[in-house]
Amino acid sequence: AGAVDKQFVGEDIGKLCDMEEPLEIPVINDLTMVLGSISQSKETGVVVDFTDPSTVYDNVKQATAFGMRSVVYVPRIKVDTVGALSAFCDKASMGCLVAPTLSIGSILLQQAAISASFHYNNVEILESAADATVRTDLPSADAVQIAKNLSNLGQIYNKGDITTDVAARGQVLGEDGVRVHSMVLPGLPSSTTVYFSGPGEVYSVKHDITGVQSLMPGLILAIRKVIRLKNLVYGLEKFL
């Protein structure tokens, strides 16, 4: 129904998305104008925010003013921003779905890692990416989220690790000893593997992303669910 961006102004969003035919919807750099136009329609409008943490709150506030709910996919969104959005949505009785990831596979990987963590005391996360110019946020948001989930379970991992201060051993995230190793090499898939070990065995769970299309099923699910929400929900997990 509308497309807002600071780049590609005037270009057809259909062509930018490699669709077979143009949608005759030009990109404009005016969120208020797009929201105002969509609000005149009888259809239910949902705003999908792919921007950055500094603009999310204002974007959701504008969307709410026009009676629209928002799906926010902004990795590295700050806890304070989520808290402010939650308070705002409660007051406005308007739903907002903040999704750290839209990949169904990534969510399933996180759930599997949480289940496994109760049975193993040693864990490390290995991720890979092909292009450092694309993945400048290493460790990635997915790896950080997995480490955060494991660290919130009250366990201390890798107690026998004597290489705590060795830089090559990866970054320790949180206070519970979860290490993350990030590899960037041309030709590598975007991949995340969580390794667990116990006496006499190694258990691993892995997720590979081969294209941005992997986000689309999660995005469609988020859009369908957010129109029924009256407050803020963090993550798609509860809808799977």
Side-chain angles (χ1 to χ4, degrees), residues 72-149:
V72 176
Y73 173 62
V74 180
R76 304 285 185 175
I77 188 171
K78 297 180 180 179
V79 175
D80 292 346
T81 303
V82 176
L85 282 174
S86 180
F88 174 77
C89 291
D90 285 344
K91 187 175 181 180
S93 296
M94 288 287 286
C96 175
L97 201 159
V98 177
T101 181
L102 290 171
S103 165
I104 302 297
S106 179
I107 295 171
L108 295 176
L109 174 68
Q110 292 180 27
Q111 293 175 342
I114 290 173
S115 296
S117 68
F118 294 104
H119 304 281
Y120 298 97
N121 294 320
N122 299 292
V123 58
E124 301 209 5
I125 301 170
L126 173 65
E127 63 176 352
S128 64
D131 191 347
T133 62
V134 176
R135 299 294 295 272
T136 57
D137 59 340
L138 298 174
S140 70
D142 284 348
V144 171
Q145 186 64 44
I146 293 171
K148 185 183 299 183
N149 290 342

Side-chain angles (χ1 to χ4, degrees), residues 27-240:
V27 175
I28 67 173
N29 187 15
D30 191 330
L31 177 59
T32 303
M33 182 179 295
V34 170
L35 293 175
S37 175
I38 297 173
S39 67
Q40 304 301 315
S41 171
K42 295 181 180 180
E43 303 291 339
T44 301
V46 173
V47 174
V48 179
D49 192 333
F50 286 140
T51 55
D52 63 75
S54 65
T55 61
V56 166
Y57 183 84
D58 289 338
N59 293 343
V60 173
K61 196 171 181 180
Q62 281 198 67
T64 302
F66 283 95
M68 296 182 212
R69 291 165 172 80
S70 299
V71 172
V72 176
Y73 173 62
V74 180
R76 304 285 185 175
I77 188 171
K78 297 180 180 179
V79 175
D80 292 346
T81 303
V82 176
L85 282 174
S86 180
F88 174 77
C89 291
D90 285 344
K91 187 175 181 180
S93 296
M94 288 287 286
C96 175
L97 201 159
V98 177
T101 181
L102 290 171
S103 165
I104 302 297
S106 179
I107 295 171
L108 295 176
L109 174 68
Q110 292 180 27
Q111 293 175 342
I114 290 173
S115 296
S117 68
F118 294 104
H119 304 281
Y120 298 97
N121 294 320
N122 299 292
V123 58
E124 301 209 5
I125 301 170
L126 173 65
E127 63 176 352
S128 64
D131 191 347
T133 62
V134 176
R135 299 294 295 272
T136 57
D137 59 340
L138 298 174
S140 70
D142 284 348
V144 171
Q145 186 64 44
I146 293 171
K148 185 183 299 183
N149 290 342
L150 297 180
S151 296
N152 287 336
L153 301 177
Q155 298 196 65
I156 301 297
Y157 304 97
N158 307 322
K159 293 181 180 179
D161 189 349
I162 61 174
T163 59
T164 303
D165 298 324
V166 179
R169 285 286 293 113
Q171 180 178 347
V172 177
L173 296 183
E175 300 177 355
D176 300 330
V178 181
R179 291 187 178 278
V180 178
H181 308 262
S182 301
M183 297 192 303
V184 180
L185 284 173
L188 286 178
S190 179
S191 176
T192 304
T193 306
V194 186
Y195 290 92
F196 296 90
S197 72
E201 67 174 341
V202 174
Y203 173 73
S204 62
V205 284
K206 182 180 181 181
H207 177 235
D208 293 337
I209 292 179
T210 58
V212 72
Q213 298 91 335
S214 65
L215 304 181
M216 296 304 105
L219 177 58
I220 293 172
L221 176 63
I223 291 171
R224 288 174 174 166
K225 295 298 182 180
V226 76
I227 59 175
R228 296 179 176 86
L229 299 179
K230 293 185 178 180
N231 54 11
L232 182 139
V233 172
Y234 186 82
L236 277 174
E237 293 85 340
K238 60 186 63 181
F239 300 122
L240 296 182

